[in-house]
Amino acid sequence: MSESRWDVLDWRHQVADLYRAVRAEQDVAEAHRRWVAGRERLLRTHPASPVPVAERAAYDGPPVAPYDGRFRFVVAVDRSVPPQRREVRTGTDGVVPLERVGRVELPGLGGLDVWWVAMYGGGVFVPLKDATSGRQTYGGGRYVLDTVKGADLGGTPDALVVDLNFAYPPSCAYDEAWACPLPGPGNTLTGAVPVGELSPA
């Protein structure tokens, strides 16, 4: 975690550009291919990559499951859920306050809480843990949306895009020096989500 603040800024610019291209692409499978290639390039080459510097030369990118349209949802956010607040201590951002602002129901899978990152600027945060966690995917869970960091698949509160094919592990999956907000009970599914970025075999 020795990257400069300017490297982090550039990383966030590039992530935002990547997701902007994803949202603009009408063919969701092609959008996913672009995302996979973009993520691989950033993780392997960018100075702010969470992949440790000593490992990057040999790093081939994360394994990613083939795109499966059954795991793409455009769903309304139920904003009538009772408020909750979590405060998560992280390695780089101090204590991150999270406020529950809604919940989405994914047909056949269950529900996920939608959180607002209650810091300067704010943003929507939807993490995910499922039956693959600790086996096929990172044990701590994955992120689907983290709009503060540019991971934004689009939509509105009435039609939010929650595409689990774009689930990816947080930075702490690559380097223990990071401490990341992880999914709680309201973001844990009992079924399997075998798409998105997987753990190395």
Side-chain angles (χ1 to χ4, degrees), residues 19-57:
Y19 276 84
R20 188 176 300 111
V22 165
R23 293 192 301 272
E25 176 57 60
Q26 297 300 307
D27 182 333
V28 291
E30 175 59 27
H32 186 251
R33 284 190 288 272
R34 291 187 183 187
W35 177 78
V36 170
R39 284 271 302 168
E40 185 274 331
R41 177 183 56 79
L42 285 169
L43 288 168
R44 184 171 46 83
T45 67
H46 198 280
S49 169
V51 177
V53 173
E55 299 176 16
R56 288 181 199 164

PDB file of all heavy atoms in Angstrom, residues 19-57:
ATOM      1  N   TYR A  19     -16.249   1.673 -16.090  1.00  0.00           N
ATOM      2  CA  TYR A  19     -17.678   1.451 -15.826  1.00  0.00           C
ATOM      3  C   TYR A  19     -18.558   2.334 -16.711  1.00  0.00           C
ATOM      4  O   TYR A  19     -19.670   1.941 -17.062  1.00  0.00           O
ATOM      5  CB  TYR A  19     -17.985   1.664 -14.344  1.00  0.00           C
ATOM      6  CG  TYR A  19     -17.701   0.434 -13.512  1.00  0.00           C
ATOM      7  CD1 TYR A  19     -16.423   0.172 -13.044  1.00  0.00           C
ATOM      8  CD2 TYR A  19     -18.712  -0.471 -13.199  1.00  0.00           C
ATOM      9  CE1 TYR A  19     -16.156  -0.955 -12.281  1.00  0.00           C
ATOM     10  CE2 TYR A  19     -18.459  -1.596 -12.434  1.00  0.00           C
ATOM     11  CZ  TYR A  19     -17.178  -1.834 -11.979  1.00  0.00           C
ATOM     12  OH  TYR A  19     -16.913  -2.964 -11.227  1.00  0.00           O
ATOM     13  N   ARG A  20     -18.056   3.501 -17.096  1.00  0.00           N
ATOM     14  CA  ARG A  20     -18.809   4.334 -18.037  1.00  0.00           C
ATOM     15  C   ARG A  20     -18.950   3.605 -19.373  1.00  0.00           C
ATOM     16  O   ARG A  20     -20.027   3.608 -19.991  1.00  0.00           O
ATOM     17  CB  ARG A  20     -18.103   5.684 -18.224  1.00  0.00           C
ATOM     18  CG  ARG A  20     -18.909   6.695 -19.031  1.00  0.00           C
ATOM     19  CD  ARG A  20     -18.198   8.037 -19.095  1.00  0.00           C
ATOM     20  NE  ARG A  20     -17.997   8.598 -17.770  1.00  0.00           N
ATOM     21  CZ  ARG A  20     -16.822   8.739 -17.164  1.00  0.00           C
ATOM     22  NH1 ARG A  20     -15.701   8.370 -17.789  1.00  0.00           N
ATOM     23  NH2 ARG A  20     -16.724   9.255 -15.969  1.00  0.00           N
ATOM     24  N   ALA A  21     -17.877   2.947 -19.810  1.00  0.00           N
ATOM     25  CA  ALA A  21     -17.934   2.168 -21.050  1.00  0.00           C
ATOM     26  C   ALA A  21     -18.874   0.977 -20.899  1.00  0.00           C
ATOM     27  O   ALA A  21     -19.601   0.621 -21.840  1.00  0.00           O
ATOM     28  CB  ALA A  21     -16.533   1.694 -21.434  1.00  0.00           C
ATOM     29  N   VAL A  22     -18.877   0.364 -19.729  1.00  0.00           N
ATOM     30  CA  VAL A  22     -19.794  -0.757 -19.459  1.00  0.00           C
ATOM     31  C   VAL A  22     -21.244  -0.294 -19.576  1.00  0.00           C
ATOM     32  O   VAL A  22     -22.077  -0.946 -20.217  1.00  0.00           O
ATOM     33  CB  VAL A  22     -19.520  -1.353 -18.059  1.00  0.00           C
ATOM     34  CG1 VAL A  22     -20.665  -2.244 -17.602  1.00  0.00           C
ATOM     35  CG2 VAL A  22     -18.208  -2.134 -18.062  1.00  0.00           C
ATOM     36  N   ARG A  23     -21.559   0.834 -18.972  1.00  0.00           N
ATOM     37  CA  ARG A  23     -22.943   1.328 -19.011  1.00  0.00           C
ATOM     38  C   ARG A  23     -23.368   1.725 -20.416  1.00  0.00           C
ATOM     39  O   ARG A  23     -24.543   1.618 -20.775  1.00  0.00           O
ATOM     40  CB  ARG A  23     -23.101   2.527 -18.062  1.00  0.00           C
ATOM     41  CG  ARG A  23     -22.946   2.162 -16.602  1.00  0.00           C
ATOM     42  CD  ARG A  23     -23.398   3.305 -15.699  1.00  0.00           C
ATOM     43  NE  ARG A  23     -22.670   4.546 -15.903  1.00  0.00           N
ATOM     44  CZ  ARG A  23     -21.538   4.871 -15.292  1.00  0.00           C
ATOM     45  NH1 ARG A  23     -20.974   4.023 -14.437  1.00  0.00           N
ATOM     46  NH2 ARG A  23     -20.955   6.030 -15.533  1.00  0.00           N
ATOM     47  N   ALA A  24     -22.417   2.182 -21.226  1.00  0.00           N
ATOM     48  CA  ALA A  24     -22.750   2.650 -22.578  1.00  0.00           C
ATOM     49  C   ALA A  24     -22.927   1.503 -23.568  1.00  0.00           C
ATOM     50  O   ALA A  24     -23.559   1.682 -24.615  1.00  0.00           O
ATOM     51  CB  ALA A  24     -21.657   3.594 -23.084  1.00  0.00           C
ATOM     52  N   GLU A  25     -22.385   0.336 -23.272  1.00  0.00           N
ATOM     53  CA  GLU A  25     -22.438  -0.802 -24.191  1.00  0.00           C
ATOM     54  C   GLU A  25     -23.798  -1.501 -24.086  1.00  0.00           C
ATOM     55  O   GLU A  25     -24.212  -1.932 -23.009  1.00  0.00           O
ATOM     56  CB  GLU A  25     -21.305  -1.783 -23.852  1.00  0.00           C
ATOM     57  CG  GLU A  25     -21.313  -3.055 -24.666  1.00  0.00           C
ATOM     58  CD  GLU A  25     -21.255  -2.807 -26.160  1.00  0.00           C
ATOM     59  OE1 GLU A  25     -20.275  -2.191 -26.616  1.00  0.00           O
ATOM     60  OE2 GLU A  25     -22.215  -3.235 -26.855  1.00  0.00           O
ATOM     61  N   GLN A  26     -24.497  -1.617 -25.206  1.00  0.00           N
ATOM     62  CA  GLN A  26     -25.830  -2.231 -25.205  1.00  0.00           C
ATOM     63  C   GLN A  26     -25.784  -3.751 -25.072  1.00  0.00           C
ATOM     64  O   GLN A  26     -26.698  -4.363 -24.519  1.00  0.00           O
ATOM     65  CB  GLN A  26     -26.570  -1.855 -26.497  1.00  0.00           C
ATOM     66  CG  GLN A  26     -26.829  -0.369 -26.628  1.00  0.00           C
ATOM     67  CD  GLN A  26     -27.676   0.181 -25.504  1.00  0.00           C
ATOM     68  OE1 GLN A  26     -28.754  -0.329 -25.225  1.00  0.00           O
ATOM     69  NE2 GLN A  26     -27.188   1.223 -24.835  1.00  0.00           N
ATOM     70  N   ASP A  27     -24.731  -4.357 -25.573  1.00  0.00           N
ATOM     71  CA  ASP A  27     -24.562  -5.806 -25.478  1.00  0.00           C
ATOM     72  C   ASP A  27     -23.905  -6.115 -24.135  1.00  0.00           C
ATOM     73  O   ASP A  27     -22.724  -5.834 -23.933  1.00  0.00           O
ATOM     74  CB  ASP A  27     -23.677  -6.287 -26.634  1.00  0.00           C
ATOM     75  CG  ASP A  27     -23.484  -7.799 -26.656  1.00  0.00           C
ATOM     76  OD1 ASP A  27     -23.556  -8.440 -25.584  1.00  0.00           O
ATOM     77  OD2 ASP A  27     -23.235  -8.341 -27.748  1.00  0.00           O
ATOM     78  N   VAL A  28     -24.684  -6.685 -23.191  1.00  0.00           N
ATOM     79  CA  VAL A  28     -24.157  -6.854 -21.829  1.00  0.00           C
ATOM     80  C   VAL A  28     -22.998  -7.847 -21.790  1.00  0.00           C
ATOM     81  O   VAL A  28     -22.076  -7.704 -20.976  1.00  0.00           O
ATOM     82  CB  VAL A  28     -25.275  -7.275 -20.850  1.00  0.00           C
ATOM     83  CG1 VAL A  28     -26.243  -6.127 -20.633  1.00  0.00           C
ATOM     84  CG2 VAL A  28     -25.994  -8.526 -21.310  1.00  0.00           C
ATOM     85  N   ALA A  29     -23.008  -8.855 -22.668  1.00  0.00           N
ATOM     86  CA  ALA A  29     -21.887  -9.798 -22.694  1.00  0.00           C
ATOM     87  C   ALA A  29     -20.616  -9.107 -23.169  1.00  0.00           C
ATOM     88  O   ALA A  29     -19.524  -9.364 -22.643  1.00  0.00           O
ATOM     89  CB  ALA A  29     -22.221 -10.999 -23.586  1.00  0.00           C
ATOM     90  N   GLU A  30     -20.736  -8.222 -24.157  1.00  0.00           N
ATOM     91  CA  GLU A  30     -19.582  -7.458 -24.624  1.00  0.00           C
ATOM     92  C   GLU A  30     -19.118  -6.486 -23.544  1.00  0.00           C
ATOM     93  O   GLU A  30     -17.910  -6.300 -23.333  1.00  0.00           O
ATOM     94  CB  GLU A  30     -19.929  -6.691 -25.901  1.00  0.00           C
ATOM     95  CG  GLU A  30     -18.822  -5.773 -26.410  1.00  0.00           C
ATOM     96  CD  GLU A  30     -17.516  -6.485 -26.712  1.00  0.00           C
ATOM     97  OE1 GLU A  30     -17.540  -7.700 -27.032  1.00  0.00           O
ATOM     98  OE2 GLU A  30     -16.454  -5.843 -26.616  1.00  0.00           O
ATOM     99  N   ALA A  31     -20.065  -5.870 -22.841  1.00  0.00           N
ATOM    100  CA  ALA A  31     -19.702  -4.994 -21.728  1.00  0.00           C
ATOM    101  C   ALA A  31     -18.910  -5.759 -20.678  1.00  0.00           C
ATOM    102  O   ALA A  31     -17.917  -5.249 -20.139  1.00  0.00           O
ATOM    103  CB  ALA A  31     -20.963  -4.389 -21.114  1.00  0.00           C
ATOM    104  N   HIS A  32     -19.323  -6.980 -20.423  1.00  0.00           N
ATOM    105  CA  HIS A  32     -18.618  -7.808 -19.442  1.00  0.00           C
ATOM    106  C   HIS A  32     -17.204  -8.133 -19.928  1.00  0.00           C
ATOM    107  O   HIS A  32     -16.244  -8.090 -19.143  1.00  0.00           O
ATOM    108  CB  HIS A  32     -19.415  -9.094 -19.186  1.00  0.00           C
ATOM    109  CG  HIS A  32     -18.858  -9.936 -18.094  1.00  0.00           C
ATOM    110  ND1 HIS A  32     -18.227 -11.139 -18.334  1.00  0.00           N
ATOM    111  CD2 HIS A  32     -18.833  -9.770 -16.750  1.00  0.00           C
ATOM    112  CE1 HIS A  32     -17.848 -11.665 -17.181  1.00  0.00           C
ATOM    113  NE2 HIS A  32     -18.198 -10.874 -16.216  1.00  0.00           N
ATOM    114  N   ARG A  33     -17.049  -8.438 -21.206  1.00  0.00           N
ATOM    115  CA  ARG A  33     -15.713  -8.718 -21.749  1.00  0.00           C
ATOM    116  C   ARG A  33     -14.792  -7.508 -21.581  1.00  0.00           C
ATOM    117  O   ARG A  33     -13.615  -7.649 -21.237  1.00  0.00           O
ATOM    118  CB  ARG A  33     -15.809  -9.127 -23.219  1.00  0.00           C
ATOM    119  CG  ARG A  33     -16.313 -10.557 -23.437  1.00  0.00           C
ATOM    120  CD  ARG A  33     -16.160 -10.990 -24.882  1.00  0.00           C
ATOM    121  NE  ARG A  33     -17.116 -10.322 -25.754  1.00  0.00           N
ATOM    122  CZ  ARG A  33     -18.341 -10.782 -26.005  1.00  0.00           C
ATOM    123  NH1 ARG A  33     -18.762 -11.900 -25.428  1.00  0.00           N
ATOM    124  NH2 ARG A  33     -19.142 -10.138 -26.825  1.00  0.00           N
ATOM    125  N   ARG A  34     -15.326  -6.329 -21.834  1.00  0.00           N
ATOM    126  CA  ARG A  34     -14.525  -5.115 -21.669  1.00  0.00           C
ATOM    127  C   ARG A  34     -14.127  -4.929 -20.210  1.00  0.00           C
ATOM    128  O   ARG A  34     -12.996  -4.526 -19.899  1.00  0.00           O
ATOM    129  CB  ARG A  34     -15.309  -3.894 -22.151  1.00  0.00           C
ATOM    130  CG  ARG A  34     -15.529  -3.860 -23.652  1.00  0.00           C
ATOM    131  CD  ARG A  34     -16.149  -2.543 -24.061  1.00  0.00           C
ATOM    132  NE  ARG A  34     -16.447  -2.508 -25.482  1.00  0.00           N
ATOM    133  CZ  ARG A  34     -16.869  -1.432 -26.133  1.00  0.00           C
ATOM    134  NH1 ARG A  34     -17.036  -0.282 -25.479  1.00  0.00           N
ATOM    135  NH2 ARG A  34     -17.115  -1.475 -27.424  1.00  0.00           N
ATOM    136  N   TRP A  35     -15.067  -5.202 -19.323  1.00  0.00           N
ATOM    137  CA  TRP A  35     -14.793  -5.066 -17.886  1.00  0.00           C
ATOM    138  C   TRP A  35     -13.710  -6.045 -17.447  1.00  0.00           C
ATOM    139  O   TRP A  35     -12.789  -5.670 -16.719  1.00  0.00           O
ATOM    140  CB  TRP A  35     -16.087  -5.297 -17.115  1.00  0.00           C
ATOM    141  CG  TRP A  35     -15.960  -5.272 -15.623  1.00  0.00           C
ATOM    142  CD1 TRP A  35     -15.865  -4.169 -14.825  1.00  0.00           C
ATOM    143  CD2 TRP A  35     -15.932  -6.405 -14.749  1.00  0.00           C
ATOM    144  NE1 TRP A  35     -15.788  -4.547 -13.503  1.00  0.00           N
ATOM    145  CE2 TRP A  35     -15.840  -5.910 -13.426  1.00  0.00           C
ATOM    146  CE3 TRP A  35     -16.011  -7.783 -14.951  1.00  0.00           C
ATOM    147  CZ2 TRP A  35     -15.795  -6.754 -12.319  1.00  0.00           C
ATOM    148  CZ3 TRP A  35     -15.974  -8.621 -13.847  1.00  0.00           C
ATOM    149  CH2 TRP A  35     -15.856  -8.107 -12.551  1.00  0.00           C
ATOM    150  N   VAL A  36     -13.812  -7.286 -17.906  1.00  0.00           N
ATOM    151  CA  VAL A  36     -12.807  -8.293 -17.546  1.00  0.00           C
ATOM    152  C   VAL A  36     -11.427  -7.848 -18.016  1.00  0.00           C
ATOM    153  O   VAL A  36     -10.445  -7.894 -17.253  1.00  0.00           O
ATOM    154  CB  VAL A  36     -13.175  -9.668 -18.147  1.00  0.00           C
ATOM    155  CG1 VAL A  36     -12.024 -10.658 -17.990  1.00  0.00           C
ATOM    156  CG2 VAL A  36     -14.437 -10.217 -17.486  1.00  0.00           C
ATOM    157  N   ALA A  37     -11.328  -7.407 -19.260  1.00  0.00           N
ATOM    158  CA  ALA A  37     -10.027  -6.977 -19.804  1.00  0.00           C
ATOM    159  C   ALA A  37      -9.499  -5.751 -19.074  1.00  0.00           C
ATOM    160  O   ALA A  37      -8.305  -5.648 -18.763  1.00  0.00           O
ATOM    161  CB  ALA A  37     -10.158  -6.695 -21.296  1.00  0.00           C
ATOM    162  N   GLY A  38     -10.392  -4.810 -18.776  1.00  0.00           N
ATOM    163  CA  GLY A  38      -9.969  -3.606 -18.085  1.00  0.00           C
ATOM    164  C   GLY A  38      -9.509  -3.875 -16.669  1.00  0.00           C
ATOM    165  O   GLY A  38      -8.494  -3.337 -16.203  1.00  0.00           O
ATOM    166  N   ARG A  39     -10.243  -4.707 -15.956  1.00  0.00           N
ATOM    167  CA  ARG A  39      -9.848  -5.075 -14.585  1.00  0.00           C
ATOM    168  C   ARG A  39      -8.500  -5.799 -14.581  1.00  0.00           C
ATOM    169  O   ARG A  39      -7.633  -5.518 -13.761  1.00  0.00           O
ATOM    170  CB  ARG A  39     -10.919  -5.987 -13.969  1.00  0.00           C
ATOM    171  CG  ARG A  39     -12.174  -5.291 -13.514  1.00  0.00           C
ATOM    172  CD  ARG A  39     -12.094  -4.802 -12.094  1.00  0.00           C
ATOM    173  NE  ARG A  39     -11.823  -5.882 -11.153  1.00  0.00           N
ATOM    174  CZ  ARG A  39     -11.480  -5.674  -9.899  1.00  0.00           C
ATOM    175  NH1 ARG A  39     -11.339  -4.436  -9.440  1.00  0.00           N
ATOM    176  NH2 ARG A  39     -11.254  -6.689  -9.076  1.00  0.00           N
ATOM    177  N   GLU A  40      -8.338  -6.725 -15.518  1.00  0.00           N
ATOM    178  CA  GLU A  40      -7.080  -7.476 -15.590  1.00  0.00           C
ATOM    179  C   GLU A  40      -5.906  -6.526 -15.810  1.00  0.00           C
ATOM    180  O   GLU A  40      -4.863  -6.632 -15.145  1.00  0.00           O
ATOM    181  CB  GLU A  40      -7.168  -8.520 -16.705  1.00  0.00           C
ATOM    182  CG  GLU A  40      -5.972  -9.456 -16.798  1.00  0.00           C
ATOM    183  CD  GLU A  40      -4.831  -8.890 -17.631  1.00  0.00           C
ATOM    184  OE1 GLU A  40      -5.123  -8.091 -18.550  1.00  0.00           O
ATOM    185  OE2 GLU A  40      -3.671  -9.235 -17.372  1.00  0.00           O
ATOM    186  N   ARG A  41      -6.065  -5.587 -16.736  1.00  0.00           N
ATOM    187  CA  ARG A  41      -4.978  -4.643 -17.027  1.00  0.00           C
ATOM    188  C   ARG A  41      -4.649  -3.785 -15.814  1.00  0.00           C
ATOM    189  O   ARG A  41      -3.474  -3.608 -15.452  1.00  0.00           O
ATOM    190  CB  ARG A  41      -5.381  -3.754 -18.208  1.00  0.00           C
ATOM    191  CG  ARG A  41      -4.345  -2.682 -18.559  1.00  0.00           C
ATOM    192  CD  ARG A  41      -4.829  -1.783 -19.677  1.00  0.00           C
ATOM    193  NE  ARG A  41      -6.099  -1.141 -19.391  1.00  0.00           N
ATOM    194  CZ  ARG A  41      -6.231  -0.066 -18.615  1.00  0.00           C
ATOM    195  NH1 ARG A  41      -5.165   0.488 -18.036  1.00  0.00           N
ATOM    196  NH2 ARG A  41      -7.427   0.468 -18.405  1.00  0.00           N
ATOM    197  N   LEU A  42      -5.673  -3.259 -15.149  1.00  0.00           N
ATOM    198  CA  LEU A  42      -5.427  -2.405 -13.992  1.00  0.00           C
ATOM    199  C   LEU A  42      -4.767  -3.179 -12.852  1.00  0.00           C
ATOM    200  O   LEU A  42      -3.802  -2.702 -12.238  1.00  0.00           O
ATOM    201  CB  LEU A  42      -6.748  -1.795 -13.508  1.00  0.00           C
ATOM    202  CG  LEU A  42      -7.319  -0.666 -14.366  1.00  0.00           C
ATOM    203  CD1 LEU A  42      -8.747  -0.343 -13.940  1.00  0.00           C
ATOM    204  CD2 LEU A  42      -6.449   0.580 -14.255  1.00  0.00           C
ATOM    205  N   LEU A  43      -5.265  -4.365 -12.564  1.00  0.00           N
ATOM    206  CA  LEU A  43      -4.701  -5.145 -11.468  1.00  0.00           C
ATOM    207  C   LEU A  43      -3.251  -5.541 -11.752  1.00  0.00           C
ATOM    208  O   LEU A  43      -2.426  -5.589 -10.835  1.00  0.00           O
ATOM    209  CB  LEU A  43      -5.547  -6.399 -11.225  1.00  0.00           C
ATOM    210  CG  LEU A  43      -6.910  -6.157 -10.572  1.00  0.00           C
ATOM    211  CD1 LEU A  43      -7.760  -7.423 -10.654  1.00  0.00           C
ATOM    212  CD2 LEU A  43      -6.765  -5.710  -9.124  1.00  0.00           C
ATOM    213  N   ARG A  44      -2.947  -5.800 -13.015  1.00  0.00           N
ATOM    214  CA  ARG A  44      -1.612  -6.286 -13.364  1.00  0.00           C
ATOM    215  C   ARG A  44      -0.598  -5.164 -13.510  1.00  0.00           C
ATOM    216  O   ARG A  44       0.589  -5.370 -13.213  1.00  0.00           O
ATOM    217  CB  ARG A  44      -1.701  -7.090 -14.667  1.00  0.00           C
ATOM    218  CG  ARG A  44      -0.410  -7.753 -15.114  1.00  0.00           C
ATOM    219  CD  ARG A  44      -0.646  -8.702 -16.275  1.00  0.00           C
ATOM    220  NE  ARG A  44      -1.476  -8.130 -17.306  1.00  0.00           N
ATOM    221  CZ  ARG A  44      -1.029  -7.323 -18.265  1.00  0.00           C
ATOM    222  NH1 ARG A  44       0.252  -6.990 -18.307  1.00  0.00           N
ATOM    223  NH2 ARG A  44      -1.842  -6.847 -19.182  1.00  0.00           N
ATOM    224  N   THR A  45      -1.038  -3.968 -13.940  1.00  0.00           N
ATOM    225  CA  THR A  45      -0.057  -2.950 -14.325  1.00  0.00           C
ATOM    226  C   THR A  45      -0.143  -1.638 -13.568  1.00  0.00           C
ATOM    227  O   THR A  45       0.821  -0.870 -13.581  1.00  0.00           O
ATOM    228  CB  THR A  45      -0.198  -2.624 -15.825  1.00  0.00           C
ATOM    229  OG1 THR A  45      -1.467  -1.980 -16.066  1.00  0.00           O
ATOM    230  CG2 THR A  45      -0.095  -3.886 -16.676  1.00  0.00           C
ATOM    231  N   HIS A  46      -1.257  -1.340 -12.950  1.00  0.00           N
ATOM    232  CA  HIS A  46      -1.405   0.003 -12.381  1.00  0.00           C
ATOM    233  C   HIS A  46      -0.649   0.129 -11.059  1.00  0.00           C
ATOM    234  O   HIS A  46      -0.661  -0.779 -10.235  1.00  0.00           O
ATOM    235  CB  HIS A  46      -2.882   0.333 -12.158  1.00  0.00           C
ATOM    236  CG  HIS A  46      -3.125   1.798 -11.998  1.00  0.00           C
ATOM    237  ND1 HIS A  46      -2.904   2.454 -10.807  1.00  0.00           N
ATOM    238  CD2 HIS A  46      -3.547   2.746 -12.883  1.00  0.00           C
ATOM    239  CE1 HIS A  46      -3.187   3.737 -10.958  1.00  0.00           C
ATOM    240  NE2 HIS A  46      -3.573   3.944 -12.203  1.00  0.00           N
ATOM    241  N   PRO A  47       0.036   1.267 -10.826  1.00  0.00           N
ATOM    242  CA  PRO A  47       0.785   1.428  -9.588  1.00  0.00           C
ATOM    243  C   PRO A  47      -0.073   1.397  -8.327  1.00  0.00           C
ATOM    244  O   PRO A  47       0.443   1.111  -7.246  1.00  0.00           O
ATOM    245  CB  PRO A  47       1.466   2.792  -9.740  1.00  0.00           C
ATOM    246  CG  PRO A  47       0.952   3.394 -10.985  1.00  0.00           C
ATOM    247  CD  PRO A  47       0.247   2.358 -11.780  1.00  0.00           C
ATOM    248  N   ALA A  48      -1.368   1.667  -8.430  1.00  0.00           N
ATOM    249  CA  ALA A  48      -2.250   1.619  -7.265  1.00  0.00           C
ATOM    250  C   ALA A  48      -2.983   0.276  -7.147  1.00  0.00           C
ATOM    251  O   ALA A  48      -3.887   0.149  -6.328  1.00  0.00           O
ATOM    252  CB  ALA A  48      -3.264   2.760  -7.311  1.00  0.00           C
ATOM    253  N   SER A  49      -2.600  -0.708  -7.931  1.00  0.00           N
ATOM    254  CA  SER A  49      -3.229  -2.028  -7.848  1.00  0.00           C
ATOM    255  C   SER A  49      -3.063  -2.602  -6.444  1.00  0.00           C
ATOM    256  O   SER A  49      -1.996  -2.481  -5.827  1.00  0.00           O
ATOM    257  CB  SER A  49      -2.578  -2.974  -8.861  1.00  0.00           C
ATOM    258  OG  SER A  49      -2.996  -4.309  -8.620  1.00  0.00           O
ATOM    259  N   PRO A  50      -4.099  -3.286  -5.922  1.00  0.00           N
ATOM    260  CA  PRO A  50      -3.949  -3.956  -4.627  1.00  0.00           C
ATOM    261  C   PRO A  50      -3.080  -5.208  -4.700  1.00  0.00           C
ATOM    262  O   PRO A  50      -2.685  -5.740  -3.665  1.00  0.00           O
ATOM    263  CB  PRO A  50      -5.390  -4.309  -4.242  1.00  0.00           C
ATOM    264  CG  PRO A  50      -6.108  -4.427  -5.553  1.00  0.00           C
ATOM    265  CD  PRO A  50      -5.477  -3.386  -6.441  1.00  0.00           C
ATOM    266  N   VAL A  51      -2.781  -5.691  -5.901  1.00  0.00           N
ATOM    267  CA  VAL A  51      -1.864  -6.825  -6.040  1.00  0.00           C
ATOM    268  C   VAL A  51      -0.480  -6.369  -5.589  1.00  0.00           C
ATOM    269  O   VAL A  51       0.031  -5.356  -6.087  1.00  0.00           O
ATOM    270  CB  VAL A  51      -1.816  -7.327  -7.495  1.00  0.00           C
ATOM    271  CG1 VAL A  51      -0.798  -8.453  -7.649  1.00  0.00           C
ATOM    272  CG2 VAL A  51      -3.198  -7.788  -7.951  1.00  0.00           C
ATOM    273  N   PRO A  52       0.150  -7.053  -4.651  1.00  0.00           N
ATOM    274  CA  PRO A  52       1.473  -6.625  -4.175  1.00  0.00           C
ATOM    275  C   PRO A  52       2.467  -6.464  -5.327  1.00  0.00           C
ATOM    276  O   PRO A  52       2.465  -7.257  -6.280  1.00  0.00           O
ATOM    277  CB  PRO A  52       1.877  -7.762  -3.227  1.00  0.00           C
ATOM    278  CG  PRO A  52       0.573  -8.318  -2.732  1.00  0.00           C
ATOM    279  CD  PRO A  52      -0.357  -8.220  -3.906  1.00  0.00           C
ATOM    280  N   VAL A  53       3.291  -5.448  -5.228  1.00  0.00           N
ATOM    281  CA  VAL A  53       4.234  -5.116  -6.304  1.00  0.00           C
ATOM    282  C   VAL A  53       5.080  -6.325  -6.687  1.00  0.00           C
ATOM    283  O   VAL A  53       5.300  -6.597  -7.882  1.00  0.00           O
ATOM    284  CB  VAL A  53       5.134  -3.932  -5.887  1.00  0.00           C
ATOM    285  CG1 VAL A  53       6.221  -3.693  -6.928  1.00  0.00           C
ATOM    286  CG2 VAL A  53       4.304  -2.672  -5.682  1.00  0.00           C
ATOM    287  N   ALA A  54       5.543  -7.078  -5.711  1.00  0.00           N
ATOM    288  CA  ALA A  54       6.421  -8.215  -5.985  1.00  0.00           C
ATOM    289  C   ALA A  54       5.731  -9.322  -6.765  1.00  0.00           C
ATOM    290  O   ALA A  54       6.398 -10.159  -7.373  1.00  0.00           O
ATOM    291  CB  ALA A  54       6.975  -8.776  -4.672  1.00  0.00           C
ATOM    292  N   GLU A  55       4.405  -9.327  -6.777  1.00  0.00           N
ATOM    293  CA  GLU A  55       3.651 -10.392  -7.450  1.00  0.00           C
ATOM    294  C   GLU A  55       3.135  -9.997  -8.823  1.00  0.00           C
ATOM    295  O   GLU A  55       2.649 -10.837  -9.577  1.00  0.00           O
ATOM    296  CB  GLU A  55       2.475 -10.825  -6.574  1.00  0.00           C
ATOM    297  CG  GLU A  55       2.884 -11.374  -5.217  1.00  0.00           C
ATOM    298  CD  GLU A  55       1.687 -11.695  -4.329  1.00  0.00           C
ATOM    299  OE1 GLU A  55       0.557 -11.776  -4.869  1.00  0.00           O
ATOM    300  OE2 GLU A  55       1.875 -11.851  -3.114  1.00  0.00           O
ATOM    301  N   ARG A  56       3.226  -8.721  -9.166  1.00  0.00           N
ATOM    302  CA  ARG A  56       2.563  -8.254 -10.389  1.00  0.00           C
ATOM    303  C   ARG A  56       3.187  -8.803 -11.665  1.00  0.00           C
ATOM    304  O   ARG A  56       2.476  -9.065 -12.637  1.00  0.00           O
ATOM    305  CB  ARG A  56       2.563  -6.717 -10.424  1.00  0.00           C
ATOM    306  CG  ARG A  56       1.610  -6.114  -9.430  1.00  0.00           C
ATOM    307  CD  ARG A  56       1.605  -4.603  -9.478  1.00  0.00           C
ATOM    308  NE  ARG A  56       1.051  -4.068  -8.244  1.00  0.00           N
ATOM    309  CZ  ARG A  56       1.177  -2.813  -7.849  1.00  0.00           C
ATOM    310  NH1 ARG A  56       1.860  -1.953  -8.604  1.00  0.00           N
ATOM    311  NH2 ARG A  56       0.653  -2.417  -6.707  1.00  0.00           N
ATOM    312  N   ALA A  57       4.484  -8.978 -11.697  1.00  0.00           N
ATOM    313  CA  ALA A  57       5.137  -9.444 -12.924  1.00  0.00           C
ATOM    314  C   ALA A  57       4.617 -10.813 -13.345  1.00  0.00           C
ATOM    315  O   ALA A  57       4.514 -11.113 -14.535  1.00  0.00           O
ATOM    316  CB  ALA A  57       6.647  -9.478 -12.740  1.00  0.00           C
TER     317      ALA A  57
END
